[in-house]
Amino acid sequence: MSSYSSGSRKALYKDPDQAKICGVCAGVADFLGLEKWLVRIIAVSFFLFSGGTIVVAYFVANFILDIKPGSKSTKGCFGLERRRQKKNADENAKYKASVKEVWKKSTAPSDALQTAESVFEKIENRLQNMESYVTSNKYQLDKEFDKL
C-alpha cells in the first residue's frame, strides 16, 4: 500500500526558499523526502557523467514546475520573477487615480488630440520621404555603388 493516501498526495514544486540556483533540486528533495545536499550531489554527478544532459532537464523542470506555495525568497531564478511581479504591482498602483485627478493633472482632450495629430503627421511625412527615396532612381544608383 502506498504511503500517500489519495487526498494527501504531495505535489512537486520548485522551492526558492531553499534554492542554490533555481530551487529544482530543493523541490525534488522535498518531494522525495531526501536531504537537499544529497539530491544536489546526485544532480552534479549526473552532470559530470552524462555530458550535460541534466542541465537541459534541470532548466526544463525550472520552467515546468510551479513555485512552492507560500515561498517568500527571491533567491536564484526567482529573483527576477518576483521583482517583475512587485514592479508590475507598483506600476498598477500608480494608475488607480480617480477620473477627477486625471483630468486635473493632464491637458484638455482637444490639446491631447492636437498633439497626437502632429505626431502622426510627422510620422506620415517621414514615411512618405522613405517611400519616395526607395522608389527613386537615386536609391537604385546608391544600391549599385554599394555592390562595387
Side-chain angles (χ1 to χ4, degrees):
M1 186 169 170
S2 174
S3 63
Y4 297 114
S5 66
S6 61
S8 66
R9 185 170 181 157
K10 278 183 154 182
L12 179 59
Y13 294 106
K14 320 182 252 194
D15 188 359
D17 293 334
Q18 303 295 320
K20 292 293 181 186
I21 298 176
C22 293
V24 174
C25 288
V28 169
D30 187 43
F31 179 75
L32 297 176
L34 299 172
E35 294 290 326
K36 289 162 192 61
W37 64 268
L38 180 63
V39 174
R40 291 178 180 136
I41 288 176
I42 292 169
V44 169
S45 299
F46 271 117
F47 171 72
L48 294 174
F49 297 113
S50 71
T53 312
I54 192 74
V55 174
V56 174
Y58 186 90
F59 285 106
V60 167
N62 178 47
F63 289 112
I64 292 173
L65 296 178
D66 292 327
I67 297 172
K68 185 177 181 180
S71 297
K72 299 194 184 340
S73 177
T74 58
K75 279 198 253 179
C77 299
F78 303 103
L80 293 175
E81 188 174 306
R82 297 273 173 119
R83 276 181 255 145
R84 193 176 308 126
Q85 288 172 353
K86 184 175 188 274
K87 181 181 175 185
N88 290 341
D90 292 343
E91 287 176 1
N92 290 340
K94 288 183 206 174
Y95 299 114
K96 291 187 178 181
S98 70
V99 173
K100 288 181 182 179
E101 290 173 352
V102 170
W103 284 111
K104 284 179 186 177
K105 293 180 181 179
S106 68
T107 59
S110 59
D111 293 340
L113 181 62
Q114 286 177 348
T115 304
E117 284 176 343
S118 68
V119 168
F120 282 116
E121 188 176 324
K122 288 177 186 176
I123 293 171
E124 179 69 26
N125 288 337
R126 288 179 61 197
L127 184 60
Q128 287 175 355
N129 290 338
M130 285 191 308
E131 286 176 345
S132 63
Y133 172 70
V134 170
T135 57
S136 71
N137 291 335
K138 184 175 179 355
Y139 176 74
Q140 294 297 331
L141 186 63
D142 289 343
K143 231 171 111 173
E144 292 298 323
F145 277 126
D146 287 341
K147 287 181 182 176
L148 296 175

